[in-house]
Amino acid sequence: MKLAVFPSSIETSRALILRLVELMNEETDRIFNIAVSGGNTPALMFDLWANEYLDITPWNRMKIYWVDERCVPPEDSDSNYGMMRNLLLGIAPIPYENVFRIRGEAKPVKEAVRYSELVKQQLPYRLGWPEFDIVLLGAGDDGHTSSIFPGQENLLTSTSSYVVSIHPCNGQKRIAMTGYPILNARHVIFLITGKNKADVVEEICNSGDTGPAAYIAHHAQNVELFIDKGAASWYSSFLLSCSASHSRNLSRLMNLRLPMCITGTSALLNNAYDIERENPISCKSLADRISGVLFKSSLIL
Ligand code: 6PG
């Protein structure tokens, strides 16, 4: 699991766009099957993408699917497809036939079956499951991802690629990608920003299988977390406490299953810090490096 922390949600979103373009530029002879999540977090990324990165993106080599969708029509303000269409897909030169929306207006059970079959037809298969190149995930502050909510962990091992789930608070039906196709993806990338997500980031970093997002993060093959300093606030405050008494905490730090950073060629990634698990550095140095980067940058902002 790799963690990239940035001073702001804008820089986090920009870095993620550059990372996605980088991945597609590493294999210029193929189409990328990309599944995106919805919710509020990716809206900023889609908007930045439409305004700043249209011309560096290989739109003709992308097929867009959804990780999950609310069971509402595309015009509904809750629609994940509608949000991405309005902010990005209606502007980007992506071939219409390469966008495979989940029909939120359809009967949920029938749509879950239809979309599972569509994905089966469109994607290569590996280990008996469709293999997405990239699955972009968010995480709710309750620890959910896709639309797999706490208490619905059985969906992590569903035998269908997409099922109907129900939001535990408002009862809204959702069509959700289940655990196996997510885990089967070549790259699983979380975009998580905001102080309200600090606890779920800590859960992802520290726990094993306590919630759907943590479970996916610990069981997928290639996982990257793109987070801002608000979502990393646990991280930096913990490490700053280290710098005060770093010897006592060093063993604690090294015993934590902290995801380590970072790869990426974009200049924006330089705003992140890189820590190599293979070369454990002193906790104080780690804290100084992290706090320096984080707070220096926030002073700039
Ligand atoms: C959805 C999303 C969902 C999202 C998390 C985070 O349909 O709501 O796909 O999985 O990633 O709920 O949502 P926010 O970005 O709104 O916090």
Side-chain angles (χ1 to χ4, degrees):
M1 182 184 341
K2 294 181 180 169
L3 178 69
V5 183
F6 298 86
S8 70
S9 53
I10 289 177
E11 284 178 277
T12 310
S13 301
R14 284 178 172 143
L16 178 48
I17 296 165
L18 289 168
R19 177 67 178 139
L20 297 173
V21 172
E22 178 183 59
L23 284 171
M24 290 187 280
N25 287 345
E26 287 170 357
E27 297 176 87
T28 53
D29 58 343
R30 63 195 301 276
I31 297 277
F32 274 72
N33 292 303
I34 302 172
V36 298
S37 288
N40 299 313
T41 305
L44 175 59
M45 180 176 79
F46 297 152
D47 191 36
L48 288 165
W49 208 338
N51 285 288
E52 300 178 11
Y53 300 98
L54 278 192
D55 55 349
I56 65 165
T57 305
W59 296 108
N60 61 341
R61 290 198 293 114
M62 296 165 72
K63 288 187 174 181
I64 302 292
Y65 306 79
W66 271 261
V67 169
D68 58 351
E69 181 58 275
R70 291 83 179 276
C71 292
V72 296
E75 313 74 47
D76 190 294
S77 59
D78 250 10
S79 168
N80 289 337
Y81 162 74
M83 181 264 284
M84 190 177 183
R85 178 198 58 198
N86 295 342
L87 292 172
L88 177 59
L89 298 177
I91 300 163
I94 186 168
Y96 174 78
E97 64 274 15
N98 287 358
V99 176
F100 303 89
R101 76 177 181 95
I102 297 174
R103 296 170 184 164
E105 71 278 18
K107 290 193 184 314
V109 171
K110 283 184 71 174
E111 180 58 13
V113 170
R114 184 195 73 87
Y115 206 72
S116 295
E117 187 57 30
L118 178 147
V119 163
K120 184 177 179 179
Q121 296 305 320
Q122 286 290 331
L123 267 68
Y125 255 57
R126 186 175 69 90
L127 302 175
W129 291 94
E131 184 186 49
F132 285 95
D133 294 292
I134 300 168
V135 170
L136 289 180
L137 296 175
D141 53 14
D142 61 356
H144 82 262
T145 193
S146 177
S147 283
I148 304 173
F149 297 93
Q152 300 171 20
E153 284 78 6
N154 60 302
L155 301 184
L156 292 169
T157 54
S158 169
T159 55
S160 304
S161 293
Y162 285 82
V163 295
V164 179
S165 76
I166 296 178
H167 193 292
C169 297
N170 61 20
Q172 185 184 57
K173 288 187 176 176
R174 307 267 184 103
I175 308 294
M177 187 189 299
T178 58
Y180 289 134
I182 297 175
L183 295 177
N184 205 37
R186 294 173 65 215
H187 298 275
V188 172
I189 304 180
F190 284 87
L191 173 62
I192 307 174
T193 59
K195 275 189 179 300
N196 66 316
K197 300 293 177 74
D199 290 346
V200 72
V201 168
E202 179 180 7
E203 186 184 336
I204 287 171
C205 294
N206 283 342
S207 74
D209 304 345
T210 49
Y215 177 88
I216 292 292
H218 286 274
H219 290 264
Q221 47 186 336
N222 286 315
V223 180
E224 298 177 52
L225 275 71
F226 280 70
I227 69 175
D228 68 354
K229 72 175 171 26
S233 47
W234 156 78
Y235 216 78
S236 48
S237 55
F238 163 75
L239 288 166
L240 285 176
S241 72
C242 276
S243 61
S245 56
H246 65 278
S247 54
R248 176 167 48 80
N249 286 294
L250 183 56
S251 58
R252 183 172 162 230
L253 177 69
M254 290 308 154
N255 291 336
L256 286 178
R257 300 170 61 180
L258 292 183
M260 292 306 164
C261 303
I262 244 177
T263 59
T265 54
S266 89
L268 282 167
L269 281 174
N270 294 334
N271 264 341
Y273 52 86
D274 56 357
I275 311 162
E276 290 302 326
R277 180 184 294 279
E278 292 70 32
N279 309 306
I281 55 178
S282 84
C283 189
K284 178 167 182 355
S285 162
L286 189 61
D288 293 349
R289 286 169 71 185
I290 288 170
S291 53
V293 167
L294 290 177
F295 297 121
K296 174 173 67 64
S297 308
S298 57
L299 286 174
I300 291 168
L301 289 175

